[in-house]
Amino acid sequence: MTPSAVRIEADLLVPGRGAPVTDGVVVLDGARIAYAGPAADAPPHDGPVTRVPTVMPGLWDTHAHFMGVRDLDLGKLLTEPHSVSVARAVRSAADVIQAGFTSVRELGGHGVFLARAIDEGTLTGPTIYAAGSILSPTGGHADFHGHSLATVMDYSAHEGATQLCDGVPDCLKAVRLQLRKNARVIKICASGGVLSEVDHPIHQQFSGEELRAIVEEAGRAERVVAAHCHGKPGIMAALEAGCRTIEHGTYLDEEAATAMREAGAILVSTRAIVARMTLMVDKVPPFAATKIRAIVDRHAESMHVAREAGVTIAAGTDFATVGPGTLVPLGLDGEELGHLVDVGYTPLEAIEAATASAPATLGPQAPRSGRLVAGYDADVIAVDGDPTLDVTILANPDRVTHVWKAGSPVKAPAA
C-alpha cells in the first residue's frame, strides 16, 4: 500500500450491495479501493484519517442530460447559441459531483464533449458515460415539431442533442456518427414522449427492423442501447430487438415486466422528473402539461409492477436544467432515491439502484464502480447522517460532506 493511501473511518459503511457495516473502514490507494469492511479487520495505517458518520459509494445518475438549458422549452436548443448551452452545462457538471454523483450516464446533450474535458483534468465533474445525440425517427420524440425540418436537420448536423434517422441505412449511419464521438451508450426513442408536441407516449417509434439494426451496430462496438419507452408497444419492441435498458417504462405491465426480467433488461426509473413536472405543470409547455397529468399515476404503478416482478432497477432522474431554482436541476439528482422509497422500495434498495446496479446499464462499457469492494474504483462519498434510515438526506448536497473521485478529494469541509 502506498504512503499516500487514504483511510476513511465511519460509524456506518454502506457498501452499495449487501448489509451495512457498523464501525467500518475504507482505504483508498490511488484510483482503487484497497480495503472496505469492519475496522477490526482493516490493515494498519500510519497516515491521516478522515472520520465521517457514513461512507458509501459515489452515486450514479443513469439518465441525465447535460443540455445546458434553463427551462423545458427544448426548442430553444435550436435558437440559443451553442456555446452558451455548453457553458451552462459546465456548471451542471460541477453541481452534480458536489452533490455526490461521481458517475453519470448522459443520454443526449453535451456530455460526450464534457467527458473529454473532465477526463483530461480541465474541468471538474463526474465521470460521464455519454450517448452523444438521441436517435429519433422524423416526427418522433426527439424531433422538434415546432421548427422546420430543415432547421432540425441542420441542428442535427452540427453536434446537436438529437439525430433524426429513418430506415436501416440511415439508422446505421446515425449509430456510427455517435461512435465517432466516442459515445459509450446509444440512446433511441422507441416510443413517443412527454416533452415533444405531436407524438403520443404510447405509440411505438422505429420499426422492429430499425431497432434491430441499431442494437446490432452498437453491439459490434460493445455498446448497448438505452430505449426511451413509455408505451408497452415500444417496450416490447425494444426488448425483442435487444435493448439493454428501458427508460421511464410508464405503461409497464406484468407481461412486459416478465419479459424484462427474462431478458435481463434494466428499468431506469426517472420518477423525479415526473414528480417535479406534476407539481409545476404551469412551468412546462401546455402540451407537456396535458401529457404529464395523463401518466403520473400510471408511472408510479409501473414502479410497483417492476419491483414485484423482480426487474432490476437503476436510478435515473432525466434532469437537464441548470441551477437549483430551475425546474429539473442537475445537482439535485439525489431526489430520485426518495421517490423510489415513496413507490415502495426500501432505502437500501434505492441506494443499490443508484450505486451497485447502475454500472450494468452500460453493458460491456461498465466500470468496476458503485460498490465499496477492494479493487473497485475509488469513487466514494461521505454524508452526515444515516441514509438507510432517511434516504432523503442524499437529495441535499449540503449533507454530502466529502467526495473522492478516483481516490482524489473533490469535496471536503472547510478547514
Side-chain angles (χ1 to χ4, degrees), residues 12-316:
L12 185 70
L13 183 157
V14 181
R17 177 169 292 145
V21 176
T22 57
D23 191 17
V25 166
V26 178
V27 179
L28 313 181
D29 194 5
R32 296 285 180 267
I33 295 172
Y35 174 82
D41 299 329
H45 181 77
D46 295 329
V49 172
T50 299
R51 185 78 199 181
V52 299
T54 298
V55 65
M56 59 186 292
L59 298 165
W60 280 66
D61 188 338
T62 65
H63 187 135
H65 297 280
F66 289 118
M67 288 181 171
V69 293
R70 295 283 295 168
D71 57 42
L72 291 180
D73 180 0
L74 299 183
K76 291 179 180 177
L77 287 168
L78 281 68
T79 58
E80 292 185 333
H82 185 77
S83 54
V84 171
S85 63
V86 172
R88 291 175 182 154
V90 171
R91 157 71 188 273
S92 291
D95 288 347
V96 164
I97 197 164
Q98 289 294 306
F101 284 77
T102 54
S103 299
V104 172
R105 191 178 66 138
E106 199 262 357
L107 295 184
H110 303 305
V112 284
F113 310 113
L114 292 179
R116 180 173 176 177
I118 290 169
D119 291 347
E120 71 189 15
T122 301
L123 297 178
T124 298
T127 302
I128 299 174
Y129 304 91
S133 301
I134 304 165
L135 308 191
S136 170
T138 301
H141 172 53
D143 196 349
F144 295 92
H145 305 143
H147 293 265
S148 71
L149 183 59
T151 298
V152 178
M153 294 298 289
D154 183 68
Y155 172 75
S156 295
H158 293 86
E159 311 293 3
T162 67
Q163 178 78 49
L164 301 187
C165 48
D166 301 288
V168 168
D170 213 18
C171 289
L172 294 177
K173 181 65 176 290
V175 172
R176 292 168 183 170
L177 287 172
Q178 307 325 306
L179 295 175
R180 189 174 186 270
K181 302 174 191 174
N182 195 30
R184 304 293 291 277
V185 60
I186 301 298
K187 166 73 178 299
I188 65 165
C189 296
S191 84
V194 171
L195 289 171
S196 44
E197 188 172 357
V198 304
D199 58 336
H200 196 289
I202 289 181
H203 294 165
Q204 178 181 337
Q205 296 180 356
F206 285 121
S207 67
E209 184 182 25
E210 290 170 322
L211 289 169
R212 287 189 296 274
I214 290 168
V215 171
E216 290 171 6
E217 188 64 22
R220 276 190 279 275
E222 297 187 316
R223 268 68 168 179
V224 295
V225 175
H228 160 100
C229 290
H230 288 287
K232 184 178 177 181
I235 293 171
M236 299 304 283
L239 293 174
E240 184 177 349
C243 293
R244 176 64 169 165
T245 63
I246 301 297
E247 314 294 314
H248 316 301
T250 300
Y251 290 92
L252 190 77
D253 62 11
E254 288 79 2
E255 180 188 15
T258 299
M260 285 194 68
R261 186 188 68 237
E262 292 179 350
I266 298 168
L267 177 64
V268 177
S269 52
T270 68
R271 186 66 190 160
I273 191 171
V274 174
R276 274 186 163 260
M277 287 200 297
T278 301
L279 292 175
M280 293 180 274
V281 290
D282 58 320
K283 296 182 179 179
V284 301
F287 62 82
T290 299
K291 292 182 180 183
I292 199 68
R293 291 188 187 101
I295 72 165
V296 57
D297 292 334
R298 187 63 185 81
H299 186 264
E301 183 181 339
S302 76
M303 298 292 107
H304 291 286
V305 170
R307 186 173 187 271
E308 289 300 311
V311 174
T312 299
I313 191 166

